[in-house]
Amino acid sequence: MAATNNVKYLKSLQAVRERSQAIYERATKGELQHFDFDQSKIESVADYVVSLVERDYGTIDKVPTHGRWRSYCLAIDGSKRDLVSEHVAKWKASGVSDWECAQRVIDLFVVSVLIDAGAGSKWRYTDSLGVFERTEGLGIAALRMFESGVFSSSPNYPFQADALALMALTDETLLQGFQVSDENPLLGGENRAELLRSLGRAMSGDGAAYFGGKCACASRPARPGFMLDYLAKNAVEPKSVSIDSVWQVIVDGLASVWPASRTQLDGVSLGDVWPCSTLAVVRDDESEDVSAEQLVPFHKLSQWLTWSVLEVIVKLGGFNVTGIERLTGLPEYRNGGLFVDMGVLMLKDADCQRGLVQGSGGVPHFDGFDPVIVEWRAMTVILLDKVAEIVRQKCCDATGCSVPDMFLSRVLEAGTWKAGREMAARLRPDTKDPPINIISDGTLF
């Protein structure tokens, strides 16, 4: 089997960028099937991102990295609060080690990211700090459940997420934690609960080597935070690991988390990998698996999770992580919506009309596996690279400012994700929905 048909390749970070680049190259030739592409408008998107960097941070080096931690950095009554740092400070004051603090935060972030798929425009979470929606609401809800020990099997140690508790988690418990009701509906609530149960099974099963710590047993059940033990043991030198090692923990250790209904190759479920007819080829060599040539991997939640735990691994775990540039921008509806709203990508009329049949409020809707969504997401991966390069030129090269580490992550944060959200709120103030809506099952976006 050729390398490009290999399961290992399709689960790699390299494949995400390479397969998306192949679609982008077709776009430059006018060969997209579902979108028209206006390359001349990419720079205007970059200019908008630069304006947000200057408005909110002044310079790019002051922008924090993009990750789940940002959902817990809030402006409350005119003052800034970092809910994660507040917890870490309390834990340390009570004698908890730095290592265990890092493990606890990873526990929180892994659970929080896995239930971070699109909530829908109608759902809200009411907290003592205010009323939150979408990703912030999901993050605060996850934090409150974490604080109350919902994800822990030990009453004496509430601040953890372990395999025993996650496998026993009920739909009802999670939906109550999210404050779901007929008046406050959450998309895919039950599917989110099943993802967390699958996380528990993965950590105590195929992923035990990554998450079992020193003893994956009833007295010390597997936890996401125990990945630190694995990374320390497999470091190329003390506290130095490559992004490939971190990615292996996420993409292999959590492989069985994703629904079995996802795309499969050689009997292996690939996760967030989808066929794209834009890459259809005709081959004379029938020994090649032609269908595999059309598969485009994104691994969005896995990459969102990796971006999120990286900050903890470095800041609290004390690791140096190399090769971070191999991660890609996240192909989700805020980043992708920005390119549609600003005219870089224009949905073709036939697809728009098809999507409007399922949609509402004048916004077309499509299933996550629809060819429209696959092509949109692939273009988003490379367009984020293009925007980041222009932002680097304008914010660093032209000013003499040094390029900060995890640069793409800062562009996403400052940045494209925020720009997509603000543009959506400006153009569709009633719902703040993206220009194309994805029919969510709570496990993908």
Side-chain angles (χ1 to χ4, degrees):
M1 177 179 288
T4 52
N5 296 339
N6 192 279
V7 170
K8 183 178 180 180
Y9 172 74
L10 289 168
K11 294 174 73 173
S12 71
L13 291 170
Q14 175 187 354
V16 176
R17 193 168 263 117
E18 288 183 349
R19 287 292 170 91
S20 292
Q21 178 64 36
I23 293 174
Y24 183 86
E25 290 172 0
R26 283 162 172 75
T28 63
K29 301 173 184 177
E31 296 176 356
L32 291 182
Q33 296 188 358
H34 306 286
F35 290 89
D36 293 315
F37 175 44
D38 188 344
Q39 195 170 0
S40 69
K41 293 184 177 179
I42 296 176
E43 187 157 3
S44 64
V45 175
D47 287 339
Y48 183 30
V49 169
V50 170
S51 73
L52 295 184
V53 171
E54 294 173 344
R55 182 194 72 185
D56 297 335
Y57 300 98
T59 57
I60 190 70
D61 57 303
K62 295 180 181 177
V63 178
T65 55
H66 191 55
R68 197 50 166 159
W69 202 317
R70 304 287 82 70
S71 297
Y72 302 113
C73 297
L74 309 174
I76 305 295
D77 297 329
S79 62
K80 295 182 179 180
R81 293 186 59 184
D82 182 337
L83 303 184
V84 171
S85 293
E86 289 176 12
H87 270 299
V88 171
K90 291 177 183 176
W91 295 335
K92 289 184 177 180
S94 65
V96 177
S97 69
D98 291 349
W99 195 253
E100 171 61 18
C101 286
Q103 290 178 324
R104 290 182 179 188
V105 176
I106 289 176
D107 282 0
L108 169 63
F109 283 8
V110 170
V111 168
S112 183
V113 166
L114 288 181
I115 55 180
D116 190 37
S121 60
K122 297 180 180 179
W123 179 80
R124 302 289 186 275
Y125 184 80
T126 302
D127 187 75
S128 60
L129 298 177
V131 178
F132 301 90
E133 59 185 16
R134 298 187 183 270
T135 188
E136 288 84 3
L138 294 168
I140 295 298
L143 175 63
R144 298 311 183 209
M145 286 187 272
F146 181 77
E147 292 169 341
S148 62
V150 167
F151 309 123
S152 172
S153 63
S154 174
N156 296 324
Y157 301 98
F159 297 110
Q160 66 182 38
D162 65 65
L164 293 179
L166 293 173
M167 286 189 289
L169 183 69
T170 65
D171 293 354
E172 182 181 13
T173 296
L174 193 68
L175 294 179
Q176 286 177 349
F178 280 132
Q179 303 175 350
V180 174
S181 67
D182 291 340
E183 296 74 31
N184 192 36
L186 173 68
L187 296 178
E190 291 82 0
N191 289 334
R192 295 170 204 266
E194 179 55 29
L195 268 187
L196 294 187
R197 289 191 289 269
S198 295
L199 170 62
R201 293 191 292 269
M203 290 193 299
S204 58
D206 294 341
Y210 304 110
F211 304 110
K214 298 177 181 177
C215 172
C217 56
S219 61
R220 195 175 185 270
R223 292 168 50 190
F226 288 162
M227 72 170 68
L228 285 180
D229 297 330
Y230 173 84
L231 292 173
K233 182 179 179 180
N234 291 274
V236 293
E237 55 186 70
K239 290 286 188 83
S240 181
V241 297
S242 74
I243 190 62
D244 296 323
S245 295
V246 181
W247 182 246
Q248 181 182 16
V249 171
I250 301 300
V251 79
D252 289 340
L254 301 181
S256 59
V257 168
W258 311 115
S261 59
R262 295 284 173 83
T263 304
Q264 295 192 4
L265 185 63
D266 294 338
V268 178
S269 183
L270 299 175
D272 187 10
V273 179
W274 309 94
C276 181
S277 55
T278 312
L279 290 181
V281 294
V282 177
R283 290 183 177 274
D284 295 328
D285 181 4
E286 295 183 359
S287 66
E288 289 284 357
D289 187 347
V290 177
S291 63
E293 295 288 351
Q294 301 176 31
L295 294 177
V296 181
F298 299 111
H299 305 301
K300 180 261 176 180
L301 271 180
S302 294
Q303 290 209 71
W304 175 224
L305 182 53
T306 304
W307 281 118
S308 297
V309 300
L310 270 179
E311 186 171 8
V312 186
I313 291 170
V314 172
K315 184 181 295 185
L316 299 180
F319 283 86
N320 173 56
V321 182
T322 60
I324 293 174
E325 68 278 0
R326 289 197 282 277
L327 289 168
T328 74
L330 301 177
E332 47 77 66
Y333 64 84
R334 289 303 183 203
N335 288 324
L338 175 65
F339 296 110
V340 175
D341 276 337
M342 295 195 69
V344 178
L345 296 173
M346 294 152 284
L347 186 62
K348 293 186 176 182
D349 288 342
D351 288 301
C352 184
Q353 293 305 314
R354 179 169 63 87
L356 287 172
V357 172
Q358 301 185 85
S360 60
V363 174
H365 285 54
F366 300 94
D367 288 307
F369 53 79
D370 192 284
V372 166
I373 302 303
V374 178
E375 192 173 83
W376 181 33
R377 297 179 75 199
M379 287 297 294
T380 297
V381 169
I382 303 304
L383 286 169
L384 289 170
D385 281 346
K386 300 295 183 183
V387 167
E389 176 58 23
I390 298 172
V391 172
R392 184 189 63 77
Q393 294 170 2
K394 292 176 180 284
C395 289
C396 300
D397 295 355
T399 64
C401 172
S402 60
V403 179
D405 60 356
M406 297 178 69
F407 184 78
L408 178 58
S409 178
R410 298 173 196 274
V411 172
L412 296 175
E413 178 62 27
T416 55
W417 186 86
K418 184 184 293 183
R421 169 178 276 195
E422 292 192 8
M423 188 66 72
R426 185 186 310 166
L427 298 176
R428 292 168 294 278
D430 290 342
T431 64
K432 303 176 184 176
D433 279 345
I436 298 172
N437 246 327
I438 301 163
I439 300 172
S440 176
D441 66 355
T443 69
L444 185 59
F445 301 94

